[in-house]
PDB file of all heavy atoms in Angstrom:
ATOM      1  N   ILE L   3     -21.175  27.363-135.361  1.00  0.00           N
ATOM      2  CA  ILE L   3     -21.090  27.061-133.930  1.00  0.00           C
ATOM      3  C   ILE L   3     -20.470  28.232-133.185  1.00  0.00           C
ATOM      4  O   ILE L   3     -20.973  28.661-132.135  1.00  0.00           O
ATOM      5  CB  ILE L   3     -20.271  25.779-133.692  1.00  0.00           C
ATOM      6  CG1 ILE L   3     -20.993  24.571-134.277  1.00  0.00           C
ATOM      7  CG2 ILE L   3     -20.011  25.575-132.203  1.00  0.00           C
ATOM      8  CD1 ILE L   3     -20.194  23.283-134.206  1.00  0.00           C
ATOM      9  N   LEU L  22     -16.160  21.362-127.946  1.00  0.00           N
ATOM     10  CA  LEU L  22     -17.465  20.734-128.190  1.00  0.00           C
ATOM     11  C   LEU L  22     -17.389  19.763-129.365  1.00  0.00           C
ATOM     12  O   LEU L  22     -17.942  18.656-129.303  1.00  0.00           O
ATOM     13  CB  LEU L  22     -18.528  21.801-128.439  1.00  0.00           C
ATOM     14  CG  LEU L  22     -18.872  22.681-127.228  1.00  0.00           C
ATOM     15  CD1 LEU L  22     -19.747  23.854-127.640  1.00  0.00           C
ATOM     16  CD2 LEU L  22     -19.574  21.861-126.154  1.00  0.00           C
ATOM     17  N   VAL L  23     -16.683  20.154-130.406  1.00  0.00           N
ATOM     18  CA  VAL L  23     -16.527  19.270-131.568  1.00  0.00           C
ATOM     19  C   VAL L  23     -15.773  18.007-131.159  1.00  0.00           C
ATOM     20  O   VAL L  23     -16.131  16.886-131.552  1.00  0.00           O
ATOM     21  CB  VAL L  23     -15.795  20.005-132.712  1.00  0.00           C
ATOM     22  CG1 VAL L  23     -15.388  19.023-133.802  1.00  0.00           C
ATOM     23  CG2 VAL L  23     -16.681  21.107-133.296  1.00  0.00           C
ATOM     24  N   ALA L  24     -14.736  18.167-130.343  1.00  0.00           N
ATOM     25  CA  ALA L  24     -13.944  17.014-129.909  1.00  0.00           C
ATOM     26  C   ALA L  24     -14.756  16.075-129.029  1.00  0.00           C
ATOM     27  O   ALA L  24     -14.538  14.858-129.034  1.00  0.00           O
ATOM     28  CB  ALA L  24     -12.704  17.493-129.160  1.00  0.00           C
ATOM     29  N   ALA L  25     -15.703  16.624-128.275  1.00  0.00           N
ATOM     30  CA  ALA L  25     -16.496  15.812-127.350  1.00  0.00           C
ATOM     31  C   ALA L  25     -17.662  15.103-128.036  1.00  0.00           C
ATOM     32  O   ALA L  25     -18.188  14.115-127.499  1.00  0.00           O
ATOM     33  CB  ALA L  25     -17.028  16.678-126.219  1.00  0.00           C
ATOM     34  N   ALA L  26     -18.064  15.582-129.204  1.00  0.00           N
ATOM     35  CA  ALA L  26     -19.248  15.048-129.866  1.00  0.00           C
ATOM     36  C   ALA L  26     -18.961  13.727-130.576  1.00  0.00           C
ATOM     37  O   ALA L  26     -17.875  13.524-131.123  1.00  0.00           O
ATOM     38  CB  ALA L  26     -19.775  16.068-130.872  1.00  0.00           C
ATOM     39  N   THR L  27     -19.930  12.840-130.542  1.00  0.00           N
ATOM     40  CA  THR L  27     -19.789  11.543-131.205  1.00  0.00           C
ATOM     41  C   THR L  27     -20.326  11.560-132.635  1.00  0.00           C
ATOM     42  O   THR L  27     -19.939  10.727-133.454  1.00  0.00           O
ATOM     43  CB  THR L  27     -20.526  10.457-130.416  1.00  0.00           C
ATOM     44  OG1 THR L  27     -21.904  10.856-130.238  1.00  0.00           O
ATOM     45  CG2 THR L  27     -19.883  10.278-129.039  1.00  0.00           C
ATOM     46  N   ASP L  28     -21.227  12.490-132.925  1.00  0.00           N
ATOM     47  CA  ASP L  28     -21.752  12.650-134.280  1.00  0.00           C
ATOM     48  C   ASP L  28     -22.396  14.029-134.380  1.00  0.00           C
ATOM     49  O   ASP L  28     -22.423  14.795-133.409  1.00  0.00           O
ATOM     50  CB  ASP L  28     -22.759  11.540-134.628  1.00  0.00           C
ATOM     51  CG  ASP L  28     -23.905  11.430-133.643  1.00  0.00           C
ATOM     52  OD1 ASP L  28     -24.432  12.477-133.189  1.00  0.00           O
ATOM     53  OD2 ASP L  28     -24.295  10.290-133.302  1.00  0.00           O
ATOM     54  N   ASP L  29     -22.933  14.341-135.548  1.00  0.00           N
ATOM     55  CA  ASP L  29     -23.505  15.676-135.764  1.00  0.00           C
ATOM     56  C   ASP L  29     -24.680  15.959-134.844  1.00  0.00           C
ATOM     57  O   ASP L  29     -24.833  17.083-134.334  1.00  0.00           O
ATOM     58  CB  ASP L  29     -23.934  15.842-137.222  1.00  0.00           C
ATOM     59  CG  ASP L  29     -22.754  15.944-138.180  1.00  0.00           C
ATOM     60  OD1 ASP L  29     -21.618  16.150-137.691  1.00  0.00           O
ATOM     61  OD2 ASP L  29     -22.957  15.798-139.398  1.00  0.00           O
ATOM     62  N   GLY L  30     -25.510  14.957-134.618  1.00  0.00           N
ATOM     63  CA  GLY L  30     -26.658  15.149-133.736  1.00  0.00           C
ATOM     64  C   GLY L  30     -26.226  15.422-132.307  1.00  0.00           C
ATOM     65  O   GLY L  30     -26.792  16.289-131.619  1.00  0.00           O
ATOM     66  N   HIS L  31     -25.218  14.694-131.874  1.00  0.00           N
ATOM     67  CA  HIS L  31     -24.687  14.897-130.525  1.00  0.00           C
ATOM     68  C   HIS L  31     -24.060  16.280-130.404  1.00  0.00           C
ATOM     69  O   HIS L  31     -24.236  16.977-129.391  1.00  0.00           O
ATOM     70  CB  HIS L  31     -23.665  13.815-130.209  1.00  0.00           C
ATOM     71  CG  HIS L  31     -23.198  13.823-128.784  1.00  0.00           C
ATOM     72  ND1 HIS L  31     -21.912  13.520-128.423  1.00  0.00           N
ATOM     73  CD2 HIS L  31     -23.848  14.110-127.624  1.00  0.00           C
ATOM     74  CE1 HIS L  31     -21.785  13.610-127.113  1.00  0.00           C
ATOM     75  NE2 HIS L  31     -22.950  13.968-126.597  1.00  0.00           N
ATOM     76  N   LEU L  32     -23.360  16.700-131.452  1.00  0.00           N
ATOM     77  CA  LEU L  32     -22.748  18.025-131.448  1.00  0.00           C
ATOM     78  C   LEU L  32     -23.810  19.109-131.318  1.00  0.00           C
ATOM     79  O   LEU L  32     -23.654  20.057-130.540  1.00  0.00           O
ATOM     80  CB  LEU L  32     -21.926  18.229-132.717  1.00  0.00           C
ATOM     81  CG  LEU L  32     -21.286  19.616-132.890  1.00  0.00           C
ATOM     82  CD1 LEU L  32     -20.346  19.928-131.736  1.00  0.00           C
ATOM     83  CD2 LEU L  32     -20.540  19.690-134.236  1.00  0.00           C
ATOM     84  N   ALA L  33     -24.895  18.964-132.060  1.00  0.00           N
ATOM     85  CA  ALA L  33     -25.977  19.947-131.982  1.00  0.00           C
ATOM     86  C   ALA L  33     -26.539  20.019-130.564  1.00  0.00           C
ATOM     87  O   ALA L  33     -26.848  21.105-130.047  1.00  0.00           O
ATOM     88  CB  ALA L  33     -27.082  19.594-132.978  1.00  0.00           C
ATOM     89  N   GLU L  34     -26.646  18.863-129.911  1.00  0.00           N
ATOM     90  CA  GLU L  34     -27.150  18.820-128.536  1.00  0.00           C
ATOM     91  C   GLU L  34     -26.186  19.533-127.583  1.00  0.00           C
ATOM     92  O   GLU L  34     -26.617  20.316-126.722  1.00  0.00           O
ATOM     93  CB  GLU L  34     -27.325  17.362-128.103  1.00  0.00           C
ATOM     94  CG  GLU L  34     -27.728  17.191-126.646  1.00  0.00           C
ATOM     95  CD  GLU L  34     -27.664  15.738-126.212  1.00  0.00           C
ATOM     96  OE1 GLU L  34     -27.675  14.837-127.080  1.00  0.00           O
ATOM     97  OE2 GLU L  34     -27.579  15.506-124.992  1.00  0.00           O
ATOM     98  N   LEU L  35     -24.883  19.265-127.742  1.00  0.00           N
ATOM     99  CA  LEU L  35     -23.893  19.892-126.878  1.00  0.00           C
ATOM    100  C   LEU L  35     -23.872  21.411-127.057  1.00  0.00           C
ATOM    101  O   LEU L  35     -23.796  22.163-126.082  1.00  0.00           O
ATOM    102  CB  LEU L  35     -22.503  19.314-127.146  1.00  0.00           C
ATOM    103  CG  LEU L  35     -22.304  17.823-126.888  1.00  0.00           C
ATOM    104  CD1 LEU L  35     -20.852  17.427-127.156  1.00  0.00           C
ATOM    105  CD2 LEU L  35     -22.696  17.453-125.465  1.00  0.00           C
ATOM    106  N   VAL L  36     -23.927  21.852-128.294  1.00  0.00           N
ATOM    107  CA  VAL L  36     -23.927  23.287-128.569  1.00  0.00           C
ATOM    108  C   VAL L  36     -25.156  23.946-127.963  1.00  0.00           C
ATOM    109  O   VAL L  36     -25.077  25.034-127.366  1.00  0.00           O
ATOM    110  CB  VAL L  36     -23.849  23.558-130.082  1.00  0.00           C
ATOM    111  CG1 VAL L  36     -24.037  25.041-130.376  1.00  0.00           C
ATOM    112  CG2 VAL L  36     -22.516  23.076-130.646  1.00  0.00           C
TER     113      VAL L  36
END
Side-chain angles (χ1 to χ4, degrees):
I3 294 174
L22 293 170
V23 169
T27 55
D28 55 41
D29 289 346
H31 188 216
L32 177 59
E34 175 189 341
L35 298 182
V36 172

